[in-house]
Amino acid sequence: MNEKSSEAYHESQLYRIRHSTAHLMAAAVLEMFPEGKIAIGPPIENGFYYDFDLPRALTPEDLEKIESRMRALIASRCDFVYQEITPEEGKALFADQPYKLELIDGILSGGVDEDGEGAATLPVSKAPTLSIYKSGTFTDLCRGPHVQNSREINPQAVKLLNVAGAYWRGDEKRPMLQRIYGTAFESPKELKEYLNWLEEVKKRDHRRLIRELDLVSFHEEAGPGLAYWHPRGAMMRKIIEDFWRDRHLEGGYDFVYTPHIGKAWLWETSGHLDFYKESMYAPMDIDGQDYYLKPMNCPFHILIYKTQLRSYRELPLRWAELGTVYRYEKSGVLHGLMRVRGFTQDDAHIICTPEQIEGEALRVLRFSLALLRAFGFEQIEAYLSTRPEKAVGEPARWEQAQESLLRAINAEGLVYQVDEGGGAFYGPKIDLKIKDALGREWQLTTIQFDFNEPERFDMTYVGEDGNEHRPYMVHRALLGSLERFFGILVEHYAGAFPVWLAPEQARVIPIADRHIDYAKQMEDALRQAHLRVSTDASSSRMNAKIREAQLMKVPYMLVIGDKEVEAGAVAVRLRSGQDMGAMPVADFIAHAEKAIAEHALE
RNA sequence: GCCCAUGUAGCUCAGUCGGUAGAGCACUUUCUUGGUAAGAAAGGGGUCAUCAGUUCAAGUCUGAUCAUGGGCUCCA
């Protein structure tokens, strides 16, 4: 969500409805648990939540009770009454609500508001005001806004969704609270649409589809977060990698290959052991030396750089590698292919002179956009993250790098947001986020300047003046990780991949056994045309064969019966259900080749 | 890592009060040879996640561990 629509949302009736529904939910929960403690309960993107500290864990049955109690509260047509209070009144009012008391202290000291958000936007001179909203017997510390009366909430457009744990103030050292997520809309129809959308999300879940389509598996007994690519998945990955390599050759990149492990020295020098030791796999002792599985490829590329004295004449260097790295992600964060412990970055490092930065920034951005679009992602937004308080590298270099990135964004006419101070300590970056078919955002590309490692590894080049200079280094991963990108592709296309990516592009379906010979001839003709094809020679009926191919989302089904054998044709059926009728196999091949070349969905 | 929930056949699930396991799909075989999303029959398949404990008896009760899911925190 961009800032403008976020602002509009904050002022919308929908926002007030959700905020007020959250209050009613808290009221209902307190009716069930009079001794319960309430924390915060803001509207969020698709609904709202409220955090509670309760004597026992909530069950799904509790949610139903809470929800029906909420409907009764809505029906009571209570007013939401705003009132400003003094600090003393506040402390008295919430004497038995410790979380609220903490919020009051926060507000009075000007630090945070009742949603736990920074109040930096408020003028410092203005004394913070405490306010409450009363609805029925329930009173909450709250800035609002709310609906005037609960009759503005449609009880049929409200639904509680799930319970989850959440740390108080998002701090893992503070108590774990119970968070109830719910949603509310202006009309039951909109609620229904949202619930349908959730269903669609479920249907496209890559964890289900990678199993159903026989693409990738995980194995509890062999280690969580480590993906196994089956032949169909591996075929797709090969196609993605081949395409990626071809594009990189065209884009002026060279390729390198580097090891998977390295001595502690590498990671001490790079600084990774200082900052990320917790999320690196533990070292293994080899001949008395600590070796680590690599969490990054960059130190290896730097070692290659340092094998020679480098001249400004050979820069820029663009070195790419599909480098597999291992990171010890915390157990609770693993999620299918989206968050794994072993993954392959489509990594590259661009090493260049200060003068070349401008051109390289634009070049790599343009390159990434073309790559993402080739995979069918058209909606792309940029996020520029700039220098944080604590940072390494000369401010002038930061300035230059940030300006180069911004000019590149503008040159490409991208919609963008700036995250001031949001960069890593070692350099500014551009991230690109795409929107998938369900409107969900995914960050894929990251383009990061690094003022740290060239220094730590003492990278140099000899300039025109004969002196040593420090080069600029840019890390970039465009697809991110192949595993995650693959998962996103699966969800974006719901498993029905464009023909050029489909692991099996065509399936030949003989109607009876006497058609098998001819079917095999057709299969062979397609294979000679470099199509990925198989023949279903099983004893199933044609209907079953079609269903099977359909479930595997094979783009083309070529049905072969007496008529086709006689006419020397194939009857083409698309997975959309469309019957293209019979045509000579050469015509079909031409049709398929066109769809492949155009990266068509079909 | 933290909170909560879950773990029974390859998949989706049932299994009552504790009495040594069941369905559909898938798989194998046989019959069937058919015109655009499931032809029929028979058969094989389970240390009920793992390890302890309670009990005459544990899929079922208890504990620990592992994994998965929903979130939180994190994400170079």
Side-chain angles (χ1 to χ4, degrees), chain A residues 30-50:
Chain A
L30 283 186
E31 283 181 13
M32 271 177 81
F33 302 94
E35 68 282 48
K37 308 298 175 207
I38 55 175
I40 57 170
I44 52 176
E45 186 176 352
N46 287 314
F48 60 85
Y49 66 80
Y50 211 112

Side-chain angles (χ1 to χ4, degrees), chain A residues 21 37 42 59 94 120 151 163 218 240 379 415 503 539-540:
Chain A
T21 308
K37 308 298 175 207
T59 64
F94 296 104
R151 71 165 68 92
V163 195
F218 290 91
I240 293 168
Q379 287 180 281
V415 176
S539 66
S540 305

Side-chain angles (χ1 to χ4, degrees), chain A residues 414-570:
Chain A
L414 285 175
V415 176
Y416 71 96
Q417 286 182 39
V418 179
D419 184 0
E420 290 291 351
F425 72 90
Y426 52 80
K429 64 169 180 175
I430 295 182
D431 293 329
L432 297 183
K433 292 189 190 178
I434 58 97
K435 265 193 189 168
D436 74 6
L438 292 185
R440 297 173 300 177
E441 280 197 342
W442 302 95
Q443 190 210 306
L444 295 177
T445 298
T446 183
I447 301 170
Q448 308 191 349
F449 278 78
D450 187 342
F451 301 131
N452 186 45
E453 284 188 297
E455 198 75 34
R456 284 173 167 263
F457 281 95
D458 191 28
M459 295 169 74
T460 59
Y461 67 92
V462 179
E464 210 171 348
D465 57 4
N467 295 324
E468 284 195 341
H469 299 272
R470 188 76 71 210
Y472 276 72
M473 182 163 86
V474 176
H475 308 255
R476 42 118 284 194
L478 306 184
L479 308 178
S481 100
L482 289 181
E483 284 75 6
R484 182 162 170 278
F485 182 70
F486 189 77
I488 292 166
L489 277 181
V490 168
E491 301 209 353
H492 178 63
Y493 288 114
F497 304 105
V499 188
W500 74 286
L501 284 172
E504 180 182 357
Q505 294 167 316
R507 187 171 295 185
V508 185
I509 297 177
I511 290 176
D513 285 357
R514 64 176 177 281
H515 307 124
I516 289 179
D517 278 350
Y518 178 81
K520 289 279 185 191
Q521 286 174 38
M522 294 302 104
E523 178 187 350
D524 195 51
L526 264 51
R527 182 165 290 116
Q528 294 315 308
H530 295 147
L531 289 171
R532 299 183 288 275
V533 57
S534 72
T535 298
D536 185 348
S538 71
S539 66
S540 305
R541 296 183 58 204
M542 181 204 64
N543 291 290
K545 292 179 183 179
I546 285 175
R547 179 181 151 80
E548 176 69 17
Q550 193 77 46
L551 289 174
M552 294 305 280
K553 313 203 188 229
V554 179
Y556 301 111
M557 286 156 253
L558 308 182
V559 178
I560 305 295
D562 290 335
K563 286 185 276 182
E564 285 71 30
V565 174
E566 172 130 2
V570 294

